[in-house]
Amino acid sequence: MTSSEMWTFATADRYDAEEAEKSSAAFLEPALAFLAELAGNGRALEFAIGTGRVGVPLRERGVPVVGIELSEHMAAVLRRKIDEGALPVSVGDMATTVVPGKFTLVYLVYNTITNLLTQDEQVECFRNAARHLEPGGRFVIELGVPPLRFLPPGQVAVPFDVSERHLGFDTSDLVEQILVSHHFTRDGDDGRYRRSDSRHRYAWPAELDLMARIAGLEPERRVADWDGAPFTQDSTKHISVWRKPA
């Protein structure tokens, strides 16, 4: 067991409804095109595949996909969409779980590497990706840039969503590089909000490059989004690609 917090049945069961906008065909198209191009004629392995928000449509696009998922509850929701023969999933943590075969692509999207709450485990995640890649294969991570530029002295919280049915803000421990996302979600019309939070270890792009180097991977590309916009000092997230030397 890693330091990742386990997704419960209740959280897994409502995950797709809460992420409906980010699961639409229009939203996912740039990511699917990006990943499919890198996979080429090979297989793809998704770390923390969750309910299959990306893995299932990528499989439908013709890329053979295999998944690793820590939460049995999330994997059970995925299994409602596609059977094991079409998209195999191993229940385990993404830092150490090994599945059979080699892959042209290993990918980890939607900030999920931050679920590993220690630097050592994040390094092991890179090593596990390298372990599964065939020579010339790529490891892809989608990750937000830590929002510390929004923190003036004395402020510890940054709002990231203020909408009719959801209030969200992040608090940061700048020493331990731990960010806690706090959510207040209104499920019904009685005015009550459901509170939840999740912990994450944020990492800077340069830190990830060093993790990749430790794992024997070489930097190939970094862009600001799935459409390939240039990554700049003002980018709020990045898509990074590392390559296993041939």
Side-chain angles (χ1 to χ4, degrees):
M1 177 66 69
T2 70
S3 61
S4 296
E5 296 173 344
M6 185 69 71
W7 290 72
T8 65
F9 171 78
T11 302
D13 200 44
R14 61 175 174 257
Y15 181 84
D16 284 347
E18 293 182 344
E19 300 295 337
E21 180 181 351
K22 293 182 174 64
S23 301
S24 68
F27 183 91
L28 288 174
E29 174 56 32
L32 297 176
F34 191 107
L35 295 172
E37 181 180 2
L38 289 181
N41 295 322
R43 300 193 304 156
L45 171 62
E46 181 171 356
F47 284 175
I49 194 170
T51 66
R53 182 182 68 92
V54 174
V56 171
L58 186 61
R59 176 66 182 83
E60 293 171 347
R61 203 181 183 98
V63 178
V65 176
V66 176
I68 294 174
E69 172 55 42
L70 180 63
S71 170
E72 294 184 13
H73 303 300
M74 296 289 277
V77 175
L78 180 151
R79 197 52 67 219
R80 300 173 193 168
K81 307 172 185 178
I82 190 169
D83 62 45
E84 176 73 14
L87 201 166
V89 174
S90 294
V91 175
D93 72 85
M94 57 187 165
T96 62
T97 300
V98 177
V99 300
K102 296 295 184 181
F103 299 83
T104 57
L105 173 67
V106 178
Y107 66 96
L108 181 54
V109 298
Y110 208 16
N111 303 320
T112 314
I113 193 170
T114 66
N115 290 357
L116 298 169
L117 299 179
T118 70
Q119 186 183 69
D120 285 345
E121 288 173 339
Q122 291 178 353
V123 169
E124 289 307 311
C125 182
F126 272 81
R127 284 178 166 153
N128 201 28
R131 184 180 297 124
H132 285 92
L133 286 172
E134 63 182 39
R138 275 89 167 198
F139 182 35
V140 176
I141 284 182
E142 175 190 24
L143 183 60
V145 175
L148 303 189
R149 294 174 69 186
F150 294 100
L151 285 176
Q155 181 173 322
V156 297
V158 174
F160 60 85
D161 184 34
V162 180
S163 57
E164 182 180 356
R165 307 195 73 87
H166 179 255
L167 303 173
F169 61 92
D170 293 328
T171 56
S172 299
D173 180 334
L174 305 186
V175 175
E176 299 297 330
Q177 290 184 212
I178 296 295
L179 179 149
V180 182
S181 290
H182 304 265
H183 301 268
F184 295 84
T185 306
R186 191 171 72 182
D187 291 326
D189 296 321
D190 58 5
R192 292 186 296 179
Y193 282 77
R194 169 174 46 84
R195 179 176 180 173
S196 62
D197 58 62
S198 59
R199 294 187 301 153
H200 307 268
R201 183 190 184 273
Y202 63 81
W204 298 97
E207 186 180 4
L208 298 183
D209 285 341
L210 183 56
M211 294 181 188
R213 181 177 179 181
I214 291 170
L217 303 176
E218 301 173 344
E220 182 174 82
R221 185 182 183 195
R222 175 167 290 130
V223 292
D225 56 34
W226 294 109
D227 289 313
F231 180 74
T232 71
Q233 65 179 2
D234 296 318
S235 299
T236 59
K237 77 170 188 177
H238 59 96
I239 314 297
S240 294
V241 182
W242 299 274
R243 182 175 180 272
K244 184 173 183 176

